[in-house]
Structures are given as C-alpha cells and as structure tokens.
Amino acid sequence: MRYFVPMQMKRRAVVLGGALASGLGAFPALAQAVGRPVVVASANGLAATETAIARLKAGADTLDAVVAGVNLVEDDPEDMTVGYGGLPNEEGEVELDASVMHGPTSRAGAVASLKQIKNPSKVAKLVMERTDHVLLVGEGALRFAVAHGFAKQDLLTEKARTVWLRWKETMSDKDDWGPGLADPGEAAQAAMADWIIADRLTGTINCLAVDGRGDISGVTTTSGLAFKIPGRVGDSPLIGCGLFVDNAVGAAGSTGRGEECIKINGAHTIVEGMRRGLSPTDACLEALKRVAAHYSGDRRKLAQFNLHFYALAKSGAHGAASLWGTYGSKPKRSRYAVSDGDGSRLLDSAYLFEVPGR
Ligand code: ASP
C-alpha cells in the first residue's frame, strides 16, 4: 500500500532518528530525552501547545501543562467540538468525554458522558488523583465533579443550538419538524449549519507533552460525535484508544471517528509500534492500515469517515497521520500543531489516502 509522508517529517526523522528514509524504518524508540520540551496537539490546539510549552519551560509537570493547554479550547465557545459550545447529542444536550495519562506515575483518569461541566479534562485529572478508579461516567461523573466544587452550567451555546435544531429539522420529511426558515436572514446561518451537518463535524483536542527530563503526559477532551445517541461514548475517554502514554516510550492520541479508533485500540497500538522501533509517523500510519484493513481497503467505505493519529516519542520526535490527507465538503488538509525549541507551528500530517474519490 502506498502512503504519504510530508518532507518536514522525513527531515525530522533524519535529525532525530537517523534511520528513517521512507517506509517503516527503524527508530530509536527508547532514546534518551533530548533535554528540551516538546508539545504536540491536534490542529485546533496551536494555542494549547503554546500554553503548555510555556508552562513546561516554567517547570510545570507535563500533565498540568497539557491540561492547562486544552482548557483554553474547552472554554472557547467557537470550537464546536470540545467543551463549552460543543455540538450536542441528538436530544440537544452537550455530553463531554475526556481522559488524561501521567507518564511518570503511570496513572490515568477519565470521564464519559459528562453533562453541565465545561472542563472534563480537569475532572478526569481529579479521577486520577483523588480516586482509585480510572473512568467515571454520566450521573456519577457529574456528582463527583460537583463534590469537587465544579459549577454546573448550560454548555449549549446559541450557535450550537441553532445547528442542532437545523439537523433535527432537516433529518426527515416524515416527521413534523421544519425545515421552514422563519426569515431570509436565517439562510446564511442555515448554510453554515448545513455544512457542519453534512460533514458530521468532527473535532476533539488531543495534546501530548514531553519535558526536558523525558517525562511524558497526555490529554484528550471532546464533545464527541455531533448528534450522537445519548450515552454514546467515543474513543477520547478510553485509555488505549483516544490516549495512551508510556513514560519509557512515548504517547499517542486520536481525533476523528472514534468507533474506528476503538476497534484497533489506536493510541496503544501506536505506542507499541514505537516500542518496536517505528518512528512516530510510521506508528500512526501502521495503525491506520489496520483501520483500512477492517474494510479490506475499500476506499468507498473508508470515505465515510476520517481518523487522525498523533504521536510523540520520549526523544521528542513527533509525527501525525490521517486516513485521508484532505477531507470534507470544504476540503481541509490534515495537519497537527507543534511547539518546541523552534517555536509553534502547524505541520502537514502524513496520510494513507489522498482525497476521498481518488
Ligand atoms: N473522536 C471523537 C469521538 O469519536 C470525535 C472527534 O474527534 O471528532 O468521540
């Protein structure tokens, strides 16, 4: 199978690993820390990586740093895939999922189907720190958050409510909902909503960090699949799927179609790939090939979704890969965010297939 690795990653692999020219080359997975912090995130996390790297430079723990980074996105009403302002479930209620892993202490925490609390990543961290459990869900997770002083609030913004209503109104002509537009002024709003609905907007933020000592942590936080069936849990809060950290090797995470990631235990698979010597990029590509194999490589079926993986090795080497290089009705190139000693930037992800239909 052909796959695509951007030039910037080939260069980086040569600098850090030496062995990777192309293809699944050998990689020093258990390399020593390079002595400078590196943070990677999904493409919506550039500001998050900047916050996290600033915290690391000030001496913060890797998990505190990445959670502070993703809190920016959880608080941002304009990001409709994470935290406050996230798109709701099919009944119009926002349900959030998140997980954290702390490499130095090999601990993990997570929450799923959490309502009314805008920072599920902080609650996931508290599950890790203050309980003997790893995952709390639904009502129990909410009570736990309230017990720890989190304020309940309505997470559904007007913008997200409008998109959800449009989805409900345009879903079927065999029910009594819409789609009549009340006035022409709503047409632009409807067009925006139709685009989000057509693409079944995916998002989520995954953020991974290694510090100068080689300690590693990660976090993944999301409002999940837009218009999901209430109670649906995606990959983000599942340790080994949307997030995995092994302080001896590295970390990985995912965004995109969670069900496909769960079926191959995406993040764990990638970290194990790095342990076997794959570079971060190649470990992500290998995991994506397993997803493709579930559909016998049938691109028509694979075109129904996209899936993105991110990986960071203990050495500070990083990479990302997506099933599709460019995806969506307003085609968007798959990218990821990095902050390190060379500044902050978005880099092209590697990918298995170029554009659905080709
Ligand atoms: N991976 C998330 C989930 O399936 C959604 C996303 O990243 O868009 O819940």
Side-chain angles (χ1 to χ4, degrees):
M1 182 189 285
R2 277 189 333 135
Y3 51 89
F4 304 85
V5 180
M7 277 317 290
Q8 88 238 352
M9 285 184 201
K10 289 183 183 163
R11 270 201 309 276
R12 182 141 197 90
V14 169
V15 171
L16 289 164
L20 176 70
S22 63
L24 302 179
F27 180 80
L30 300 176
Q32 295 303 305
V34 289
R36 65 173 191 177
V38 180
V39 183
V40 305
S42 41
N44 55 348
L46 191 60
T49 64
E50 286 167 357
T51 293
I53 202 104
R55 298 278 176 115
L56 290 177
K57 284 180 179 164
D61 174 78
T62 44
L63 186 55
D64 291 335
V66 291
V67 169
V70 302
N71 287 164
L72 295 178
V73 184
E74 288 176 333
D75 291 348
D76 179 3
E78 291 306 312
D79 191 313
M80 300 179 85
T81 68
V82 178
Y84 177 64
L87 288 169
N89 66 21
E90 67 175 16
E91 291 174 359
E93 275 192 293
V94 180
E95 279 179 87
L96 305 178
D97 296 339
S99 61
V100 300
M101 263 193 106
H102 186 243
T105 56
S106 306
R107 287 182 302 162
V111 289
S113 301
L114 177 63
K115 296 179 189 170
Q116 296 180 284
I117 306 287
K118 73 174 174 167
N119 296 119
S121 63
K122 287 186 184 173
V123 186
K125 187 164 175 281
L126 276 173
V127 171
M128 182 190 90
E129 291 168 342
R130 311 288 298 185
T131 79
D132 203 17
H133 303 318
V134 169
L135 174 61
L136 295 181
V137 305
E139 184 61 30
L142 176 59
R143 286 190 198 163
F144 174 81
V146 170
H148 282 276
F150 285 80
K152 287 196 210 175
Q153 71 179 95
D154 185 0
L155 302 180
L156 189 67
T157 57
E158 266 308 284
K159 190 172 167 190
R161 187 189 61 76
T162 312
V163 174
W164 165 73
L165 195 59
R166 178 81 177 162
W167 171 79
K168 204 162 170 58
E169 289 187 343
T170 55
M171 198 160 41
S172 167
D173 56 8
K174 296 186 175 57
D175 62 26
D176 297 325
W177 287 85
L181 294 174
D183 68 64
E186 288 182 18
Q189 224 176 356
M192 184 270 294
D194 287 346
W195 163 62
I196 292 172
I197 293 163
D199 281 2
R200 195 90 185 266
L201 183 74
T202 58
T204 302
I205 176 165
N206 167 244
C207 188
L208 311 169
V210 62
D211 67 15
R213 291 183 299 276
D215 283 334
I216 310 163
S217 289
V219 57
T220 303
T221 174
T222 188
S223 51
L225 194 63
F227 323 126
K228 61 194 170 189
I229 295 172
R232 176 265 188 191
V233 173
D235 55 336
S236 307
L238 302 183
I239 298 298
C241 298
L243 177 69
F244 192 70
V245 177
D246 184 319
N247 214 48
V249 177
S254 72
T255 64
R257 186 71 188 195
E259 281 74 3
E260 300 303 330
C261 176
I262 291 171
K263 287 190 283 180
I264 62 148
N265 277 205
H268 182 262
T269 296
I270 293 163
V271 171
E272 292 308 305
M274 292 195 287
R275 194 193 306 278
R276 283 187 284 112
L278 296 182
S279 73
T281 304
D282 285 342
C284 292
L285 284 165
E286 187 192 60
L288 287 165
K289 285 181 196 167
R290 292 193 191 184
V291 174
H294 283 178
Y295 295 89
S296 307
D298 183 334
R299 294 192 192 194
R300 215 170 22 87
K301 290 181 183 155
L302 291 165
Q304 304 304 312
F305 61 88
N306 205 0
L307 183 59
H308 314 268
F309 288 133
Y310 315 91
L312 176 63
K314 189 174 180 71
S315 65
H318 51 81
S322 301
L323 185 65
W324 296 101
T326 305
Y327 194 78
S329 52
K330 289 185 182 172
K332 242 174 89 183
R333 178 78 179 84
S334 293
R335 312 184 89 184
Y336 73 109
V338 182
S339 280
D340 57 14
D342 301 329
S344 304
R345 58 216 179 272
L346 286 173
L347 297 176
D348 287 345
S349 301
Y351 52 89
L352 267 197
F353 305 119
E354 201 159 0
V355 184
R358 268 190 240 160

